[in-house]
Amino acid sequence: MEITEIKVFPVDEEKLKAYITIVLDDCFVVRDLKIIGGTSGLFVAMPSKRRKDGTFKDIAHPLNQSTRAVMEKQILDAYLAEIKKPGVVPRRASDCEEAQACAIEEVDT
């Protein structure tokens, strides 16, 4: 399995730094990954859904640490490259009715 495309959608929030969309093997898309600024640096949060008890459960995630490490490195490298580009202006996630709506709109165009 290979990440064949990474789309980065920077946002201007305190902890949330970007939404990420990845394409695997040019045939499977995963949306709503997030770059989060944590206490020990940036990390990639997998797409998740809030459960009835208020906790979150990952919808999709790597099954082992080595796959997670490879994915995180590629995604974080893409994020860092994107924010260094001239003219990149992070959006506020609250500017969209749904936080991911801005990213979905840009991916589909």
Side-chain angles (χ1 to χ4, degrees):
M1 177 187 70
E2 179 182 341
I3 298 176
T4 51
E5 185 176 356
I6 301 173
K7 297 259 188 194
V8 178
F9 306 95
V11 295
D12 183 23
E13 299 289 333
E14 185 177 340
K15 292 185 180 183
L16 176 62
K17 302 301 181 187
Y19 287 103
I20 305 293
T21 296
I22 62 172
V23 176
L24 304 173
D25 294 332
D26 287 319
C27 65
F28 192 84
V29 66
V30 181
R31 292 190 170 113
D32 207 24
L33 288 85
K34 298 175 183 99
I35 303 287
I36 306 290
T39 56
S40 59
L42 297 173
F43 69 93
V44 177
M46 295 295 141
S48 60
K49 181 177 180 181
R50 185 184 296 253
R51 299 171 72 174
K52 290 180 182 180
D53 65 3
T55 61
F56 287 89
K57 181 83 171 173
D58 283 350
I59 295 170
H61 59 88
L63 294 179
N64 58 59
Q65 187 57 38
S66 62
T67 302
R68 180 177 298 274
V70 168
M71 289 180 73
E72 282 190 349
K73 180 179 182 343
Q74 290 178 340
I75 292 167
L76 289 173
D77 286 350
Y79 166 72
L80 294 172
E82 181 69 20
I83 63 171
K84 289 180 183 177
K85 289 181 181 176
V88 172
V89 179
R91 297 180 176 195
R92 292 203 52 83
S94 58
D95 289 346
C96 302
E97 281 184 34
E98 296 179 14
Q100 186 65 0
C102 292
I104 291 171
E105 179 181 310
E106 291 182 33
V107 169
D108 292 340
T109 59

